[in-house]
Amino acid sequence: MSNQLIFYLPGNETMAKSLSNKLNYPLGKAEIRRFPDEESYIRIDENVKNKDTFIVCTLNKPDEKLLPLYFLCSALKEFDARRVMLIAPYLAYMRQDKSFKTGEAVTSGMFAKLLSKTVDKIITIDPHLHRLSKLDEIYSIPTIVLHAAPLLSHWVKRNVQNAFLVGPDEESGQWVSEIAKDAGVPFTVLTKERISDTEVSITMPDLRPYKNLQPVMVDDIISTAHTMIEGMKKIRAAGLKTPICLGVHGIFAGNARSLLEETGAQIITTNSIYSPTSGIDISGLIADALK
Ligand code: R5P
C-alpha cells in the first residue's frame, strides 16, 4: 500500500492523473462538489492516516478555489494525514506585492499567510517574483519553486527557426534571458508602463538588427493579453514578422485568448493552467521534483 495519495480539486483531473502515473502514487478518492446553494461539500473516501497527501489545485481564479481547498486540507488534517502538500502549478496573488496607492491591501502577503496555515508545503512553477526575491519572504512553510525555462527553450529550439526572444517588460527579463541563453538565440527586453488593468504602453529599443529573425514574445503570465497585444503591435510596426506568443501561465482572463488569437499569432503556454494553447507539459518537471 502506498504511503502517498494524490487528491485534486475539480478541473485538475488531467494533471493529477498524469502525476499519479509518473510517480506511481494512487489517486485518493474524494467527493468534492457544491450544494445547490453553492456551499462546498467535501467527503474523503480513503484512510489517510499517516499518509503524505498531495492536492493538485492550480490557483487561477483563486477566490472560488480557496474555500474548497481549505476544507479539503483541513479534513485531511483532521483525519490524521501525515502531511498535506499543495501542488499549485500556478500560484495566485503574487502581483499585488506592494501598496501602490494609499490604503491598498498587499494581498500577496495575506494570501501567503492563509495558505501557510492551510498546507504543510507548496510546490509551484515560476511564481511571479518581481519585487520579492523568494517565496520564503511571505510564506512561512517550505516551498519548492520549479522553473519552466528549460521546457520553453526546448520548445523554441524544436519549433522556431532563427528565433529572437522579446520580453515585454523589465520583469520578464529574468525568464527571457535564461530561455534565450539555453536556446542559444538573441533577446531584447521592452519597457512597459501599466496604465490600468487592461491598458499598457510599451516602448521599444531599436529592433533593426533583428529584422530577419522570428520574434518570440515570452512572458510568465498572459492575463488580459494586453501586454502581448501591445508588444506585438509595436514589433510589427517596426517591420518585423508577427511574433509567436509564449507564456508560462495562460490565465486568459475574460475574452483574452480570443483577442490574442485575432492577431493571428501562434500562442503557446504550458499546462500549468489547461487551455487549448497548452502545448508544453510541465507534469514531468513536477514529478521529477517529487521523486
Ligand atoms: C507582469 O506583471 C507580468 O509579467 C505579465 O506581463 C502580466 O501579468 C501580463 O498581464 P496582461 O496579460 O494582463 O497584460
Side-chain angles (χ1 to χ4, degrees):
M1 235 189 0
S2 175
N3 276 330
Q4 290 89 4
L5 281 172
I6 299 183
F7 291 88
Y8 55 89
L9 259 76
N12 294 270
E13 296 82 349
T14 312
M15 181 59 70
K17 283 181 186 157
S18 173
L19 291 173
S20 164
N21 288 336
K22 289 190 165 80
L23 290 161
N24 221 2
Y25 298 166
L27 290 175
K29 291 192 205 87
E31 188 183 349
I32 303 168
R33 63 177 175 85
R34 302 255 184 211
F35 284 111
D37 61 2
E38 298 203 12
E39 290 186 1
S40 294
Y41 172 88
I42 310 279
R43 178 172 168 262
I44 296 166
D45 191 14
E46 290 282 352
N47 179 3
V48 296
K49 195 170 166 119
N50 295 329
K51 301 235 164 128
D52 276 339
T53 58
F54 296 89
I55 296 153
V56 184
C57 179
T58 202
L59 285 171
N60 60 317
K61 303 194 177 168
D63 294 14
E64 63 192 54
K65 292 180 177 174
L66 198 62
L67 212 48
L69 178 64
Y70 169 75
F71 291 142
L72 177 61
C73 296
S74 304
L76 289 168
K77 285 182 185 168
E78 272 179 24
F79 299 141
D80 293 325
R82 194 168 82 97
R83 284 190 300 175
V84 177
M85 292 167 281
L86 172 64
I87 300 173
Y90 173 67
L91 185 61
Y93 280 109
M94 288 300 298
R95 286 180 289 173
Q96 186 80 36
D97 56 1
K98 171 181 163 181
S99 190
F100 299 91
K101 290 184 193 154
T102 316
E104 268 179 1
V106 182
T107 46
S108 61
M110 295 170 181
F111 188 73
K113 248 189 210 166
L114 207 64
L115 272 193
S116 298
K117 284 185 190 150
T118 306
V119 297
D120 299 313
K121 188 174 194 163
I122 293 177
I123 297 105
T124 190
I125 315 258
D126 290 316
H128 186 82
L129 292 166
H130 175 213
R131 283 163 287 265
L132 297 168
S133 62
K134 282 184 179 163
L135 282 185
D136 302 1
E137 290 171 38
I138 50 174
Y139 280 83
S140 57
I141 49 170
T143 53
I144 299 181
V145 171
L146 305 170
H147 300 287
L151 299 176
L152 268 58
S153 61
H154 181 72
W155 188 90
V156 170
K157 277 192 267 187
R158 285 191 58 157
N159 296 284
V160 192
Q161 280 194 345
N162 302 322
F164 131 73
L165 304 193
V166 185
D169 54 23
E170 169 206 323
E171 289 146 79
S172 63
Q174 49 182 314
W175 295 282
V176 177
S177 56
E178 204 182 324
I179 298 164
K181 193 173 154 208
D182 198 28
V185 301
F187 76 96
T188 191
V189 172
L190 316 181
T191 309
K192 176 174 93 179
E193 195 197 335
R194 183 166 285 283
I195 298 156
S196 71
D197 287 351
T198 54
E199 255 181 296
V200 296
S201 143
I202 284 184
T203 323
M204 306 289 287
D206 182 6
L207 293 185
R208 277 173 300 184
Y210 310 110
K211 215 146 195 164
N212 297 318
L213 303 181
Q214 170 60 56
V216 182
M217 291 184 69
V218 184
D219 210 349
D220 61 332
I221 297 172
I222 309 177
S223 179
T224 66
H226 285 287
T227 301
M228 284 286 182
I229 292 170
E230 207 42 47
M232 189 178 313
K233 277 188 198 155
K234 291 279 165 67
I235 292 171
R236 277 171 165 168
L240 275 79
K241 294 182 191 159
T242 296
I244 294 168
C245 298
L246 191 55
V248 179
H249 306 293
I251 294 184
F252 299 120
N255 63 347
R257 189 160 56 81
S258 43
L259 279 182
L260 194 51
E261 280 167 351
E262 277 165 23
T263 64
Q266 183 183 7
I267 313 161
I268 297 289
T269 60
T270 76
N271 56 356
S272 69
I273 300 166
Y274 274 96
S275 97
T277 62
S278 299
I280 299 174
D281 180 19
I282 43 104
S283 64
L285 189 66
I286 300 175
D288 286 348
L290 295 179
K291 263 175 200 163

